[in-house]
Amino acid sequence: MKRVKLTVAYEGTNYCGWQVQPNGITIEEVLNRTLSELLREKIQVIGASRTDAGVHSLGNVAVFDTGTRIPAEKICYALNQRLPEDIAVQSSCQAPEDFHPRRCYSEKTYEYRILNRKIPVPTLRRDTYFYYRELNLEHMQKAAAFLVGEHDFRSFCSVKTSAEDTVRKILSCTVERSRDSIITIRVTGTGFLYNMVRIIAGTLISVGVGEFAPESLPEILQKKDRSAAGPTAPAHGLTMIGINYGGGN
């Protein structure tokens, strides 16, 4: 047996998130089924990030164990011939037998994209949140800086979270505007709570329209109350960019 690591990109529009569930098709379900057919053995992948329904990825990570003779680095090519066009494995390689994508140190990066203009652009509708009210970029940048560091992010996670410990470490949080009217919120951290990045995005949007002052972010963190922060931004604006593991995994 060997453990194979996959780097998986997908457009999440047509899926009910990553994790297998009874109410709709998921990325994990498609990978399990397709790998099982390809390798002619029962395969169950373990994913690094259980992204929500409608969320996209350029670099989620999954592992599985297999007895196949196919070289690990060749599996991605055979797999992509069988996967739907909105899922593509970017690479495959053999990983150490004890490598688990959720149990070792990692740094995850997410981007939330906002199309900030008066008129929507249809070709951007699937992976960018259209927001017509003018956003103050400088205020959003000032607010984002307060989120960097280790904090209790209870105010920035869904009330449905099962996490008892809501302390997380944000390594960077930036807000930039491109010439095509897209504002990108980019967040890198060592771990995230349920809906955390989408709530950060919703709160920074609220700062951008003047509903919160940038300097109110420390107070929002201190309250440890979901109702203190802004709304949860829509899922389709969020993309997992990638995961960096320590130790070269």
Side-chain angles (χ1 to χ4, degrees):
M1 297 291 284
K2 59 187 174 187
R3 177 154 291 192
V4 177
K5 173 187 169 187
L6 306 176
T7 300
V8 189
Y10 47 87
E11 183 192 311
T13 305
N14 297 322
Y15 298 93
C16 294
W18 172 273
Q19 192 171 16
V20 170
Q21 52 186 284
N23 65 338
I25 191 168
T26 66
I27 305 295
E28 185 179 47
E29 176 186 348
V30 173
L31 288 174
N32 286 343
R33 182 179 68 244
T34 310
L35 280 165
S36 297
E37 293 170 354
L38 170 66
L39 303 177
R40 299 182 181 180
E41 57 182 303
K42 185 173 178 57
I43 299 294
Q44 290 186 312
V45 300
I46 301 170
S49 181
R50 298 166 180 170
T51 51
D52 293 339
V55 174
H56 317 292
S57 172
L58 295 178
N60 203 349
V61 170
V63 299
F64 66 92
D65 295 323
T66 176
T68 185
R69 289 184 169 185
I70 301 174
E73 65 274 13
K74 300 293 186 182
I75 289 176
C76 62
Y77 299 106
L79 187 57
N80 284 335
Q81 292 179 11
R82 295 163 171 80
L83 286 170
E85 62 182 2
D86 51 7
I87 304 175
V89 176
Q90 302 300 293
S91 65
S92 58
C93 64
Q94 189 162 342
E97 292 181 3
D98 62 350
F99 173 64
H100 191 292
R102 294 199 300 271
R103 293 178 183 165
C104 54
Y105 177 87
S106 66
E107 298 176 2
K108 299 178 182 178
T109 298
Y110 289 88
E111 283 188 357
Y112 196 90
R113 288 164 37 106
I114 306 156
L115 179 62
N116 188 215
R117 65 200 301 267
K118 295 298 183 184
I119 306 296
V121 177
T123 57
L124 299 175
R125 73 190 188 281
R126 288 179 177 266
D127 66 351
T128 308
Y129 173 43
F130 169 64
Y131 194 82
Y132 71 93
R133 295 177 65 185
E134 184 176 355
L135 295 172
N136 187 312
L137 183 69
E138 183 179 352
H139 285 185
M140 294 173 73
Q141 291 170 331
K142 288 180 179 178
F146 287 110
L147 298 173
V148 177
E150 189 171 82
H151 306 286
D152 189 329
F153 282 94
R154 187 170 294 276
S155 294
F156 290 87
C157 71
S158 169
V159 293
K160 297 179 182 179
T161 185
S162 58
E164 294 183 7
D165 180 11
T166 50
V167 175
R168 295 293 185 272
K169 187 175 183 180
I170 297 298
L171 301 172
S172 66
C173 185
T174 61
V175 186
E176 302 292 340
R177 187 195 301 270
S178 62
R179 283 182 289 182
D180 51 3
S181 302
I182 293 177
I183 292 177
T184 301
I185 300 167
R186 186 180 179 95
V187 187
T188 298
T190 58
F192 293 91
L193 299 162
Y194 184 47
N195 283 348
M196 180 172 158
V197 180
R198 290 169 58 194
I199 296 169
I200 287 174
T203 303
L204 293 180
I205 290 170
S206 294
V207 170
V209 293
E211 294 172 0
F212 293 131
E215 297 76 17
S216 67
L217 268 292
E219 181 182 354
I220 293 173
L221 285 165
Q222 189 175 18
K223 285 184 177 179
K224 302 176 187 178
D225 182 349
R226 172 66 189 92
S227 64
T232 304
H236 69 275
L238 183 62
T239 298
M240 163 177 270
I241 300 301
I243 306 173
N244 180 39
Y245 288 98
N249 287 329

